[in-house]
Amino acid sequence: MTSPRALSETIKTAPVPYDLDAAAQMRDAFGAEFFALPTNAQALLNGVAGSAPYLRRLISRAPARVSEMLNQPLDTTLHALCTSAQNAGATLQDDAQLSALRQVKNEAALAIALGDIGGAIDVVEAAAALSEIADALIASALAGAARNLDLAPSAPGLVVLAMGKLGAHELNYSSDIDLIVLYEPAALAAGDPDKARKLAIALTRDLVDRLQRQTADGYVYRTDLRLRPDPGFSAIALTIDAAESYYEAHGQNWERMAFVKARAAAGDLALGEQFLNALRPFIWRKYLDYAAIDDVKAVKRQIQSARGGHDIEFAGHDLKLGRGGIREVEFYAQTQQLILGGKNSALRSKKTLEALKALAEFDHVDATAAAELDSAYRYLRRLEHRLQMINDEQTHKIPTQAEAIDRLTAFAGAPDANALRDDVLNVLRTVRDHYDALFADADDDDESTGALVFTGVDDDPATLETLRELGFRRPEEVAATVRAWHAGGTRATRTERARGLLTKFQAPLMRALSAANDPDAAFFAFDGFMKNLPAGVQVFSLLAQNPSIFDALISMVTISPYLRKEMSRRPERIEGLIEGAWADAPPSATALRDDLAAVLVNAEDFEAALNSARRWAADERFLAAGRLMAGVGDYEQAAVAFSAIADAVIQNLLGVAHDEIRRRHGDIEGGVAVLGLGGLGARDLTATSDLDLMFIYDAPAGAQSDGSRPLGATEYFTRFVRRVVTALSAATQEGALYDVDMQLRPSGGAGPAAVSFDAFRQYYHHDAWTWEIMALTKARFVAGAPDLAAAVEAETVRILGAARDPAAVANDVNDMRRRLLDAKKPATIWDLKTTHGGATDIAFICQYLLLTLGDDTGRAPQRVSATIEWLAERGALSEESARLLAQTQSLYDAILQTARAGAGGVFDPATAGGALNNRMAFICEAPTIAAAEAFLTERHAQIVELYATVLGLTPVGAPETR
């Protein structure tokens, strides 16, 4: 193995000295020994001293040391300097250590500069060398601080994390350093958290002071601790647990970006690695992260706005933050790392160029683009180093003065200023073009909509004109409201990140709102949604990145106060819309049942199962309501979907309750059948329906359960049913699932919760009121024992088909209708469940006819619309009457489904909002809500008249609405 060559033997290039007098001054300080150096070393020192005053001072201060550096390998020099730093931390007292650290920093700066400028090492190697020296100096300063507190030099229990360029071993020449200091109280001061906190803060303060205090020898590094969690309020050193809790609960995407480059640099390195490993799920997510993409774009826009960096220029251009600069190369790589690195660990390199190479190797980046960005990054970093070497300034800008430009031209080795200008502009344009190709929509305003400017305090005339062209009748109010959003007037827009995302999608938002029948009503409905959002970033990111659902989602939010409230309460439901294939046809009843069963498999106990079922049902009902409001599917499909969700819940929770009762009391011979009545039986539920249920059991005489606490059949099934009802209706931390109504069971509220099959048969053949038999017309088996269900169904057919006196049935039906009208007055004519001439009248017409047919050979469908057709086929309804009933039932179904999914209850035009009013008018095929109400009034009267005609009675008087 050959020995490494001396630095002087590896020098390949040397700049032409800009200031010949300065070069001569350096030679004078050096003395005759200068001319004993190799010619290439002399040329290098002349060029460096004649171009960079800071480096000239370092050379002139210790010529013998410079000769030594040139006459030995650069690695040997740097290794010796790291050793000196280590020794200073371990042995020297405070003032001596401060001086030694600064001397090491200066000598390392000179040695690395000579290697970099002379071409002995490339700019990436120079950055790595600067970072290694920084690590040594930080560790030394920490050791000195620890020694003063009687701690071991490595400060066990405390770690210094290197962030940013230092973390990536990409430190620039005159860079400050970003650090985060964390500690583990038990390791730093066993059993005394308060002492540990004081020690950690004292260590951090002393560390920072040793690094950045200005002395006669200068300083080591400007040190920034502001990347720590919540820097405005937190201590300068935090516990590991506090940091983990912060990032888990409050960590933002810019912090994820910062931690891509983080590493443990000093102190307890094992503790640091343990913390970073724990943070991996926060940094590297498994799924596409749209918010991270938008964060990068927003940050880039902010940088360009603040720095005037929208245009590419030469004089005064910021090589780091300006267009086409170093930061764009870093963002180009880092954004894709954040998006893709969760699934591919090979993309997680802290180093920019390594990340670009990996992205190209996995075909995420074009190989040519990666190569050109690699070359551009190296060029910009070299020029950045030259800028900083001149006067040891943390600058990234090309000078604006001609003299300073000429100095940089000479130092950079360019033929002249024009050549340097051309090279710089070509590199910047190359980076910009690749960056813009990746973030094609990052900074482009959507001009297709027209002017939409909502900054400042006054209305922008062009924006008001655009709003008018989009159909807004109150553009001044719309503009003022949007300005309030951008001013952080709602919780959703109080962060800069959220406002940046809002800016991105405000043009498509205005287009989508303008497509509504009443754009102003739609806009102010959306404003109501905004005001109730607890935060906006997640929602805005999803809207901005998923144009396929944008218009439909806006429809849901603007038309439906109910959905608006649900999404404001749980914004993650918007993400569920995307993932849930909401635009497809609703899942089948079987698929829903199996999906919930898979969810409940993971429930640890009864309470957990209830909470899981509630979350699942709430999400599925939300999706079904969303489909309806977005115009995906019709009202009958919505009714079937809501009913299938309820079926799935009942079927699964019946099993959960059975497991619970079995655990306590064992099994029993026999079974139970759950009948759905009312809307559930008819598969006609809405978004907010309750459940009408009846539980029928059958067991051999004298049957007892076989558990440690045996029960007879009546007690066993009664407890079982109560457990099921509790599972369905009890409020848990996830809220309530359904209100359960069992008033339709035999003997109503006074009857047993579980009815034996014999009692069911006896009651309905001999004791049931007419209205109770009417309820059986909608009875449907939902869950439980199939054999028992078949027997119940056969008995139900016989009960319904029994011969009856039509006049007596008509009187009973009419009496029940009177009772219902007296018990609950309709709030408005839209209260179709209770209003005279509403849905109940149609149901009672059908039930009267079913009970007077005297046909026990078949069973009519439970759904009212299908019952009407069934009755017409058998001649029980005239063609004209059937047509009126079918059309009206379809209308009522549409209104009821829309009211529940839109308003969450009875529709009231006075409070529903313009967008929902417009939807209701559209359903009634009316131009306005007033015209729709006039149409409904007429239709109610027609149904009341038909009701009287069919039953052969004087109709019940219509009550006044409130």
Side-chain angles (χ1 to χ4, degrees):
M1 179 177 177
T2 59
S3 299
R5 294 187 297 165
L7 175 58
S8 62
E9 297 176 20
T10 59
I11 294 170
K12 302 173 185 175
T13 59
V16 175
Y18 170 76
D19 185 342
L20 296 176
D21 289 340
Q25 291 172 16
M26 179 274 298
R27 292 194 299 274
D28 290 343
F30 216 103
E33 189 175 347
F34 177 82
F35 298 99
L37 294 171
T39 304
N40 61 346
Q42 294 180 37
L44 176 62
L45 293 179
N46 271 320
V48 168
S51 300
Y54 167 65
L55 295 178
R56 175 176 56 80
R57 290 193 297 271
L58 293 181
I59 295 169
S60 299
R61 190 180 298 170
R65 180 65 178 132
V66 175
S67 295
E68 185 180 351
M69 290 179 186
L70 291 166
N71 289 320
Q72 66 184 15
L74 180 58
D75 285 348
T76 301
T77 299
L78 297 178
H79 179 74
L81 289 169
C82 287
T83 302
S84 295
Q86 181 181 357
N87 292 337
T91 62
L92 298 180
Q93 296 304 311
D94 291 347
D95 289 344
Q97 189 204 32
L98 293 182
S99 180
L101 294 182
R102 283 146 182 78
Q103 182 176 344
V104 168
K105 166 67 183 303
N106 289 332
E107 289 191 11
L110 179 57
I112 294 169
L114 293 175
D116 186 357
I117 299 165
I121 56 174
D122 65 23
V123 69
V124 174
E125 293 170 320
L130 290 166
S131 303
E132 289 171 9
I133 289 293
D135 284 359
L137 292 168
I138 294 167
S140 179
L142 180 63
R147 187 180 63 244
N148 279 357
L149 293 170
D150 297 324
L151 297 174
S154 62
L158 181 139
V159 62
V160 180
L161 299 181
M163 311 294 289
K165 282 184 164 52
L166 176 58
H169 286 98
E170 293 174 343
L171 203 62
N172 59 38
Y173 194 78
S174 296
S175 181
D176 56 6
I177 56 175
D178 295 298
L179 305 177
I180 292 177
V181 181
L182 304 174
Y183 68 97
E184 174 57 61
L188 190 60
D192 193 340
D194 187 57
K195 179 181 178 182
R197 181 178 183 275
K198 292 177 180 177
L199 280 173
I201 291 173
L203 272 170
T204 304
R205 284 178 178 159
D206 198 354
L207 166 68
V208 172
D209 180 66
R210 289 168 189 266
L211 291 174
Q212 68 179 20
R213 189 198 310 174
Q214 187 77 37
T215 71
D217 299 302
Y219 65 94
V220 184
Y221 297 109
R222 293 175 294 271
T223 305
D224 194 337
L225 299 175
R226 290 176 297 170
L227 289 182
R228 71 185 187 276
D230 203 5
F233 300 95
S234 62
I236 57 175
L238 286 82
T239 66
I240 292 284
D241 286 347
E244 287 182 356
S245 297
Y246 169 84
Y247 291 118
E248 180 180 350
H250 307 293
Q252 300 179 58
N253 280 305
W254 71 263
E255 290 169 310
R256 292 178 57 210
M257 293 170 65
F259 270 97
V260 168
K261 295 180 179 295
R263 63 181 174 83
D268 193 333
L269 301 182
L271 178 66
E273 289 304 317
Q274 179 182 340
F275 170 76
L276 292 174
N277 286 336
L279 218 59
R280 280 182 184 172
F282 165 67
I283 305 168
W284 305 109
R285 297 179 181 171
K286 294 181 180 179
Y287 306 103
L288 291 182
D289 192 348
Y290 298 119
I293 302 171
D294 286 330
D295 275 355
V296 173
K297 295 175 183 177
V299 169
K300 185 59 184 169
R301 283 194 297 270
Q302 292 161 15
I303 291 170
Q304 290 172 184
S305 176
R307 305 280 178 169
H310 281 290
D311 300 322
I312 285 181
E313 52 195 354
F314 177 64
H317 195 77
D318 192 316
L319 298 179
K320 177 181 178 183
L321 302 179
R323 291 272 17 222
I326 295 166
R327 184 59 56 85
E328 286 193 350
V329 181
E330 293 172 336
F331 278 6
Y332 186 98
Q334 195 171 16
T335 309
Q336 295 178 91
Q337 285 182 283
L338 279 182
I339 298 167
L340 304 166
K343 291 186 176 180
N344 186 350
S345 61
L347 303 178
R348 298 178 186 177
S349 174
K350 304 180 194 309
K351 298 181 180 181
T352 301
L353 298 185
E354 286 185 2
L356 273 175
K357 182 179 179 182
L359 288 165
E361 288 176 350
F362 285 92
D363 294 326
H364 297 302
V365 170
D366 178 74
T368 300
E372 290 180 353
L373 287 171
D374 182 295
S375 176
Y377 179 83
R378 293 173 188 271
Y379 178 87
L380 294 171
R381 289 301 304 270
R382 280 195 300 271
L383 198 57
E384 176 190 50
H385 277 194
R386 300 301 181 271
L387 280 168
Q388 294 175 354
M389 289 172 180
I390 292 172
N391 285 308
D392 190 28
E393 293 176 335
Q394 176 68 349
T395 181
H396 310 278
K397 289 186 175 181
I398 301 290
T400 56
Q401 299 295 321
E403 182 179 348
I405 290 176
D406 288 343
R407 179 186 294 273
L408 178 62
T409 298
F411 197 22
D416 53 47
N418 287 334
L420 178 65
R421 179 182 183 277
D422 291 344
D423 288 345
V424 169
L425 292 179
N426 286 335
V427 169
L428 294 174
R429 288 167 183 153
T430 296
V431 173
R432 177 202 60 192
D433 291 347
H434 287 305
Y435 180 89
D436 287 350
L438 180 65
F439 301 120
D441 62 341
D443 307 304
D444 298 332
D445 294 328
D446 189 335
E447 298 179 355
S448 64
T449 303
L452 286 173
V453 178
F454 299 104
T455 56
V457 295
D458 298 321
D459 288 328
D460 172 54
T463 296
L464 296 183
E465 183 58 32
T466 297
L467 292 173
R468 289 190 187 96
E469 291 173 355
L470 288 172
F472 293 95
R473 298 188 303 275
R474 296 146 63 190
E476 292 83 3
E477 293 178 57
V478 171
T481 301
V482 177
R483 282 202 303 274
W485 294 348
H486 283 283
T490 69
R491 286 179 296 173
T493 60
R494 285 179 185 167
T495 67
E496 191 169 357
R497 183 169 48 146
R499 293 192 292 273
L501 291 168
L502 174 63
T503 298
K504 182 185 184 305
F505 80 82
Q506 68 188 11
L509 170 65
M510 291 302 171
R511 284 199 302 271
L513 294 173
S514 72
N517 291 337
D518 185 341
D520 295 88
F523 174 84
F524 289 107
F526 186 83
D527 178 51
F529 167 67
M530 290 275 287
K531 288 176 179 175
N532 287 318
L533 276 178
V537 170
Q538 179 192 29
V539 173
F540 298 163
S541 297
L542 289 167
L543 288 175
Q545 292 294 335
N546 292 276
S548 63
I549 73 156
F550 188 90
D551 291 349
L553 184 58
I554 295 302
S555 296
M556 296 178 206
V557 172
T558 54
I559 294 173
S560 171
Y562 168 74
L563 291 178
R564 191 160 67 237
K565 178 181 177 182
E566 288 296 300
M567 280 189 277
S568 297
R569 189 169 62 88
R570 288 184 60 185
E572 66 272 16
R573 284 203 168 123
I574 297 176
E575 190 168 0
L577 286 174
I578 298 170
E579 296 176 349
W582 65 275
D584 299 336
S588 67
T590 300
L592 288 168
R593 180 198 65 201
D594 293 345
D595 186 46
L596 178 55
V599 170
L600 295 181
V601 164
N602 298 318
E604 296 178 355
D605 52 29
F606 186 70
E607 184 73 16
L610 300 195
N611 282 323
S612 295
R614 278 150 178 72
R615 284 193 297 272
W616 180 89
D619 289 344
E620 289 296 332
R621 286 201 299 259
F622 174 81
L623 284 170
R627 289 187 181 99
L628 179 60
M629 290 294 96
V632 179
D634 58 27
Y635 306 103
E636 184 171 350
Q637 287 177 320
V640 171
F642 288 125
S643 303
I645 293 165
D647 284 1
V649 170
I650 295 167
Q651 290 159 3
N652 279 280
L653 290 187
L654 186 72
V656 170
H658 194 192
D659 290 342
E660 188 73 3
I661 201 76
R662 184 188 291 118
R663 184 178 62 81
R664 298 186 178 197
H665 302 290
D667 273 319
I668 194 170
E669 190 177 354
V672 65
V674 184
L675 297 188
L677 302 163
L680 176 61
R683 289 190 173 89
D684 202 18
L685 293 186
T686 68
T688 59
S689 291
D690 57 9
L691 303 181
D692 293 297
L693 298 177
M694 183 188 300
F695 295 86
I696 301 171
Y697 73 89
D698 194 27
Q704 275 202 324
S705 65
D706 58 8
S708 58
R709 294 155 59 189
L711 296 174
T714 300
E715 182 66 15
Y716 185 92
F717 286 108
T718 297
R719 293 193 184 189
F720 181 13
V721 168
R722 286 175 181 165
R723 204 66 176 165
V724 176
V725 173
T726 296
L728 291 170
S729 61
T732 71
Q733 65 188 39
E734 293 292 333
L737 189 54
Y738 290 102
D739 288 333
V740 175
D741 190 341
M742 296 177 64
Q743 293 296 317
L744 296 181
R745 71 185 188 271
S747 300
V755 181
S756 72
F757 180 50
D758 287 341
F760 168 84
R761 184 167 42 206
Q762 175 69 25
Y763 182 85
Y764 279 99
H765 277 295
H766 302 290
D767 302 315
W769 295 84
T770 299
W771 68 266
E772 292 178 300
I773 298 174
M774 290 165 63
L776 281 186
T777 62
K778 293 186 178 182
R780 175 175 65 88
F781 171 66
V782 174
D787 292 345
L788 175 57
V792 171
E793 175 64 15
E795 198 61 45
T796 300
V797 171
R798 285 192 285 273
I799 293 166
L800 295 176
R804 294 179 178 85
D805 176 12
V809 173
N811 282 326
D812 287 347
V813 170
N814 207 39
D815 180 64
M816 176 53 61
R817 188 71 189 104
R818 189 188 310 276
R819 289 170 183 268
L820 292 176
L821 287 170
D822 290 342
K824 185 177 181 181
K825 307 297 183 185
T828 72
I829 64 169
W830 299 91
D831 190 356
L832 298 180
K833 287 288 188 180
T834 57
T835 194
H836 202 36
T840 300
D841 294 78
I842 297 178
F844 276 25
I845 289 171
C846 294
Q847 289 165 355
Y848 163 78
L849 293 173
L850 289 173
L851 296 190
T852 56
L853 279 178
D855 182 2
D856 63 356
T857 61
R859 176 81 186 279
Q862 290 95 339
R863 187 169 177 81
V864 173
S865 57
T867 302
I868 293 168
E869 182 179 354
W870 190 87
L871 289 168
E873 289 174 351
R874 284 158 178 74
L877 280 171
S878 69
E879 183 177 338
E880 182 181 358
S881 296
R883 185 183 307 111
L884 174 63
L885 287 175
Q887 290 174 348
T888 306
Q889 183 64 40
S890 178
L891 172 68
Y892 288 176
D893 283 343
I895 291 173
L896 286 167
Q897 288 292 342
T898 302
R900 301 307 190 262
V906 175
F907 171 68
D908 183 354
T911 59
L916 186 54
N917 285 349
N918 289 337
R919 173 66 69 88
M920 285 300 195
F922 176 79
I923 289 171
C924 295
E925 299 182 1
T928 65
I929 198 68
E933 291 188 337
F935 168 73
L936 271 184
T937 300
E938 180 181 352
R939 184 55 59 93
H940 292 342
Q942 292 175 311
I943 295 302
V944 168
E945 182 180 354
L946 181 60
Y947 172 92
T949 299
V950 172
L951 270 68
L953 297 169
T954 301
V956 176
E960 295 183 359
T961 59
R962 290 182 290 177

